[in-house]
Amino acid sequence: MADINIQRKKSSPSPWLLVLLVLLGLAAVGYYAFRADSDQPTTAPAVPSLEPAADSTTGAETAPRPTNDPAVAEMATEEPGGSPEELAAFAASDATTPTYGRRGLEMLMATLRTLADRDDLRDATVSEKRDDLTSATSRLQEQGTSLRPGYVAAANLIKAMQQKGYPALETKANELVGRANELTGRTTSPQEQQQVQEFLRRAADIVGEISQPAR
């Protein structure tokens, strides 16, 4: 009887083993790639400078802001006069100028503030009227602001200074207060322009006398 040669069948490798080997290879590649990135030098983030730029608007302004209003620009570049003579000269100028009323009030304010600080005129009443004038003209630079409160406050301050040591000017001071109360605060019509000009003329006349030592 012939011998039958029986050979065992070789088993093929498991597919899960191949998958495991592939995963291990990928893990090794990822590990070395991560280490290579971590070895690169890091750059520190830039720290913003605390110094303002040359054209920065956060610092103090070094130049006046431009304005498109000619009246405001004129008042910003010209300092109001502070003497009765300058006030009288301005009062006699052209009252039809658009800034005549506002400019005249500014000059009258500057003159009155100088007189109100004089030792022989300064008292509680004069100081109170001076503060009223400051309050009444606090928005003088704003467009559309009525000038009438400023005229009235200025006339009342002149009246207070007249009562302090100039009894001979009582009639003139009372007339000035009455004229101030009659003003509309505008200079759009010829009548209004004439009224403001006459008020400034009379105010300059009384202030000129008060600027002299009391007798």
Side-chain angles (χ1 to χ4, degrees), residues 5-13:
N5 188 10
I6 300 174
Q7 295 182 354
R8 292 182 179 181
K9 186 178 181 181
K10 295 182 180 180
S11 60
S12 60

Side-chain angles (χ1 to χ4, degrees), residues 18 101 104 151 176:
L18 296 176
Y151 292 137
L176 187 69

Side-chain angles (χ1 to χ4, degrees), residues 15 23 37 42 51 54 75 83-84 88 94 97 101 107 134 136 140 149 151 164 166-167 169 194 197 199 204:
L23 292 177
D37 292 340
T42 58
E51 294 295 332
M75 289 184 292
S83 70
D94 186 6
T97 304
M107 297 184 71
T134 300
L140 192 60
Y151 292 137
K164 180 67 176 175
Y166 297 86
L169 298 176
Q194 184 179 1
Q197 186 172 47
F199 171 82

Side-chain angles (χ1 to χ4, degrees), residues 1 40 48 76 78 87 105 122 135 147 170 195 203 208:
M1 184 176 181
Q40 296 294 328
E78 298 181 12
L87 177 60
L105 179 56
R122 186 171 58 241
S135 177
L147 303 179
E170 181 178 2
Q195 289 175 337

Side-chain angles (χ1 to χ4, degrees), residues 148 151-153 155-156 174-184 199:
R148 183 178 181 276
Y151 292 137
V152 173
N156 288 331
N174 289 337
E175 289 179 353
L176 187 69
V177 173
R179 286 182 175 274
N181 287 311
E182 293 174 357
L183 295 175
T184 63
F199 171 82

Side-chain angles (χ1 to χ4, degrees), residues 8-162:
R8 292 182 179 181
K9 186 178 181 181
K10 295 182 180 180
S11 60
S12 60
S14 173
W16 292 107
L17 180 61
L18 296 176
V19 172
L20 180 60
L21 291 176
V22 171
L23 292 177
L24 289 176
L26 293 176
V29 171
Y31 172 74
Y32 286 110
F34 175 78
R35 286 197 59 183
D37 292 340
S38 62
D39 291 339
Q40 296 294 328
T42 58
T43 303
V47 179
S49 174
L50 298 179
E51 294 295 332
D55 59 348
S56 173
T57 57
T58 58
E61 295 183 353
T62 57
R65 293 182 182 272
T67 177
N68 295 326
D69 185 358
V72 175
E74 178 185 350
M75 289 184 292
T77 56
E78 298 181 12
E79 291 295 330
S83 70
E85 293 77 17
E86 290 176 298
L87 177 60
F90 178 82
S93 64
D94 186 6
T96 62
T97 304
T99 58
Y100 178 86
R102 188 183 302 271
R103 182 68 174 170
L105 179 56
E106 286 185 326
M107 297 184 71
L108 179 57
M109 289 166 50
T111 307
L112 294 179
R113 285 168 179 165
T114 302
L115 292 176
D117 290 336
R118 213 170 68 187
D119 292 339
D120 62 319
L121 293 178
R122 186 171 58 241
D123 64 5
T125 302
V126 171
S127 298
E128 178 185 354
K129 299 303 180 182
R130 187 184 191 277
D131 292 341
D132 291 344
L133 177 60
T134 300
S135 177
T137 56
S138 60
R139 297 184 177 180
L140 192 60
Q141 303 298 335
E142 298 181 7
Q143 292 299 314
T145 300
S146 175
L147 303 179
R148 183 178 181 276
Y151 292 137
V152 173
N156 288 331
L157 177 55
I158 291 175
K159 175 66 178 177
M161 290 190 291
Q162 172 269 312

